[in-house]
Amino acid sequence: MTTDVNLRELVLEVLLAVTRDHAYSHLVIREMLEKYQYLGKQERSILKRVCEGTLEQMIWIDYVINQFSSVKVNKMKPQIRCILRSSVYELKYMDAIPASATCNEAVKLAQKRGFRNLKGFVNGVLRTVSRNLDKISLPDREQEPVRYLSVKYSMPEWILQLWQTYPLEQVEEMLQSFLMEAPTVIRINPLKTTKEELRQELMADHITVREDEEVPGVFYLEGYDFLRKIPSFREGKFYVQDTSSMQVAICACPKPGDYILDVCAAPGGKSIHLAELLWEAENGAAVQGMVEARDLTAQKVSLIEENINRCGLPNICAVQADARILDEDKVGKADIVVADLPCSGLGVLARKADIKYRVTMEECRKLCDLQRQILHTVQQYVKPQGILIYSTCTINPMENEENVSWFLQEHDNFRLELQKQIWPGKGKNDGFFLAKMRKG
């Protein structure tokens, strides 16, 4: 990790922004990589890996530090805490970096940040951790199963208690999946390219391309440096979207002439997928159907518009609207309403690890109330025999199955056609929930 730019200092800035200032990790890391585009591919890869890895493993890292530090992690100054956390991650997972270099650079960084009097403390903790890494034992699996899983997989205990209704084997497989490196999943834009053309173009850019065996038109990408540097991405030849999320449009199965309303659409992936399927259903000729992608703020609508323009779709528009407030003009007009609503995000922890540290049970309850409020409003837009699709990217019965049960009790003119909880699968897909309901 030697460069003109101190990578460890950049890591520290990211960790402080996320853990102290409550910024979103995926946004902070993306902004950092965009700011330092001139860094080499290996340096950028190291920066991303240490930031994401430290956040993913933070509970385990704190457990280790607390065994060898006279000051517990939660009592440390934020900068020292972050320096120690990223350094312990290096010691455990970055074999190519000598332990002595990790310890020395951490001491230098502490001094540079004005903590000269804590040089000995930082050095002592890290060298002790380094000598004892192979001797660290986890909590007893039989006596303390929740704490054991919490430490081993760095998952807050309250979330594990929330998942106690699921089989233990299923939960542990899910926890393992969250710690696996997830490839970038893309969906081919049929308006601009073909599968083979895109494959050849990506491979010419020295990107590893693997085709999904079950979902047509889906590739997994690895080995690229920066998404926006890929010409085919800038040209709108593909859209980044997880296979679980793709199930919304696939299950909606739009028909020629359909009017589709997506009420919480940003950044627009599901809406754009629906528009593509609608285009294909109409053979791209005399387009009759339309997708209206809505969201709450001008910033989110601008993001949807950016993606629409990049993908070159003529049968979709973006509109600013509050999903909680009834739009009288749309009552009974939509063939398909998509309500992919704000949720706790517990299905996407492989990509956004900091969610597990920021969400709380109280916030889950508030989100559940918001989801019900929106569902009660937007169901009025569905035509007779039309479809309402409710989806979340979480694994939480309160927000998923219980919300569907509530909705069907409150609105007996809808019937459930499909309901599924998609589990995170060995680094292959995110956790996701979907319910398809038809209006009588």
Side-chain angles (χ1 to χ4, degrees):
M1 286 178 73
T2 58
T3 177
D4 292 339
V5 174
N6 189 321
L7 291 186
R8 288 184 175 84
E9 197 157 6
L10 299 186
V11 169
L12 176 58
E13 291 298 335
V14 170
L15 296 181
L16 284 171
V18 175
T19 61
R20 182 190 64 189
D21 304 333
H22 310 294
Y24 290 98
S25 64
H26 66 291
L27 298 179
V28 176
I29 293 171
R30 186 174 69 194
E31 289 169 3
M32 187 68 77
L33 292 174
E34 288 179 353
K35 182 177 180 181
Y36 292 94
Q37 290 186 43
Y38 58 83
L39 290 173
K41 183 176 180 179
Q42 183 178 11
E43 294 167 330
R44 292 160 58 79
S45 176
I46 291 172
L47 173 61
K48 186 172 184 285
R49 180 182 172 188
V50 176
C51 289
E52 292 179 343
T54 302
L55 292 169
E56 285 174 351
Q57 300 282 358
M58 202 158 67
I59 291 177
W60 177 83
I61 289 170
D62 288 357
Y63 175 82
V64 171
I65 293 172
N66 281 338
Q67 292 191 35
F68 304 108
S69 172
S70 58
V71 180
K72 298 307 178 186
V73 170
N74 62 349
K75 299 292 185 181
M76 294 176 183
K77 296 182 182 298
Q79 299 207 40
I80 297 299
R81 179 164 55 228
C82 289
I83 290 171
L84 289 177
R85 282 172 169 169
S86 61
S87 299
V88 170
Y89 179 83
E90 273 188 38
L91 290 171
K92 177 66 175 178
Y93 296 102
M94 308 289 282
D95 294 337
I97 302 173
S100 58
T102 296
C103 298
N104 291 338
E105 292 300 319
V107 170
K108 290 178 185 177
L109 184 53
Q111 181 175 347
K112 185 175 181 180
R113 286 303 182 111
F115 297 100
R116 185 180 183 86
N117 61 325
L118 293 177
K119 287 169 50 181
F121 171 75
V122 170
N123 185 61
V125 170
L126 291 179
R127 292 194 181 278
T128 306
V129 169
S130 177
R131 290 194 301 269
N132 292 279
L133 263 179
D134 296 334
K135 304 173 186 175
I136 293 167
S137 60
L138 297 174
D140 187 271
R141 183 187 178 99
E142 300 300 323
Q143 298 296 322
E144 301 178 282
V146 172
R147 186 159 182 259
Y148 165 82
L149 292 174
S150 175
V151 173
K152 182 173 183 180
Y153 298 106
S154 283
M155 185 64 63
E157 291 188 18
W158 77 266
I159 296 177
L160 293 168
Q161 290 165 352
L162 181 72
W163 291 339
Q164 282 186 323
T165 56
Y166 302 128
L168 179 60
E169 297 78 10
Q170 180 74 70
V171 172
E172 190 154 17
E173 183 177 321
M174 179 166 58
L175 294 171
Q176 291 168 354
S177 176
F178 287 145
L179 296 180
M180 295 176 70
E181 185 174 356
T184 300
V185 188
I186 68 167
R187 190 185 70 248
I188 298 164
N189 182 353
L191 279 73
K192 291 197 172 186
T193 189
T194 67
K195 181 171 67 175
E196 286 309 314
E197 286 174 354
L198 182 60
R199 186 201 306 272
Q200 294 302 320
E201 190 170 346
L202 291 168
M203 290 174 65
D205 290 327
H206 308 289
I207 297 170
T208 301
V209 181
R210 178 168 52 90
E211 187 173 355
D212 191 283
E213 297 176 356
E214 298 175 0
V215 186
V218 171
F219 287 155
Y220 297 92
L221 306 186
E222 294 179 290
Y224 67 91
D225 180 20
F226 185 52
L227 188 65
R228 295 182 185 273
K229 284 185 178 179
I230 303 174
S232 51
F233 172 78
R234 297 197 303 269
E235 294 163 7
K237 293 181 179 179
F238 67 84
Y239 193 96
V240 176
Q241 185 181 19
D242 190 77
T243 54
S244 298
S245 176
M246 292 179 202
Q247 293 302 309
V248 168
I250 292 169
C251 290
C253 196
K255 307 180 302 299
D258 275 354
Y259 168 62
I260 303 170
L261 185 58
D262 188 345
V263 298
C264 294
K270 299 174 188 66
S271 295
I272 288 170
H273 193 192
L274 284 160
E276 289 174 0
L277 294 180
L278 193 56
W279 175 273
E280 291 178 327
E282 296 172 337
N283 296 314
V287 177
Q288 301 295 321
M290 175 61 66
V291 179
E292 184 173 317
R294 295 183 166 195
D295 221 303
L296 180 61
T297 67
Q299 181 182 9
K300 289 186 175 183
V301 171
S302 176
L303 182 58
I304 298 171
E305 288 174 336
E306 177 186 334
N307 285 321
I308 290 172
N309 293 334
R310 186 172 56 82
C311 294
L313 292 157
N315 58 342
I316 179 172
C317 64
V319 175
Q320 185 176 351
D322 187 336
R324 297 169 296 181
I325 300 173
L326 182 67
D327 182 348
E328 298 283 356
D329 291 339
K330 299 298 181 183
V331 172
K333 299 288 180 63
D335 298 280
I336 299 169
V337 171
V338 174
D340 182 66
L341 302 187
C343 70
S344 55
L346 299 180
V348 294
L349 298 181
R351 303 181 193 277
K352 302 175 183 178
D354 55 306
I355 287 176
K356 61 187 176 183
Y357 307 121
R358 68 171 71 242
V359 72
T360 65
M361 179 58 82
E362 180 57 30
E363 287 172 347
C364 288
R365 293 191 181 98
K366 290 179 180 178
L367 283 165
C368 185
D369 290 341
L370 174 63
Q371 290 153 358
R372 294 186 178 191
Q373 182 183 354
I374 293 174
L375 283 171
H376 179 72
T377 299
V378 304
Q379 58 85 22
Q380 298 176 70
Y381 304 143
V382 183
K383 286 181 179 178
Q385 298 307 308
I387 293 294
L388 171 64
I389 291 187
Y390 171 59
S391 62
T392 72
C393 59
T394 197
I395 302 166
N396 181 356
M398 181 194 309
E399 298 176 73
N400 295 342
E401 294 90 348
E402 292 177 21
N403 264 355
V404 173
S405 295
W406 165 85
F407 179 83
L408 294 172
Q409 289 175 0
E410 292 289 317
H411 305 282
D412 57 8
N413 55 335
F414 281 84
R415 68 179 186 276
L416 183 65
E417 289 194 349
L418 173 69
Q419 176 174 287
K420 56 181 174 180
Q421 175 72 68
I422 301 172
W423 301 93
K426 298 180 180 178
K428 184 179 177 183
N429 59 265
D430 294 332
F432 198 80
F433 175 83
L434 179 148
K436 179 180 180 180
M437 295 169 281
R438 188 176 297 275
K439 190 173 186 178

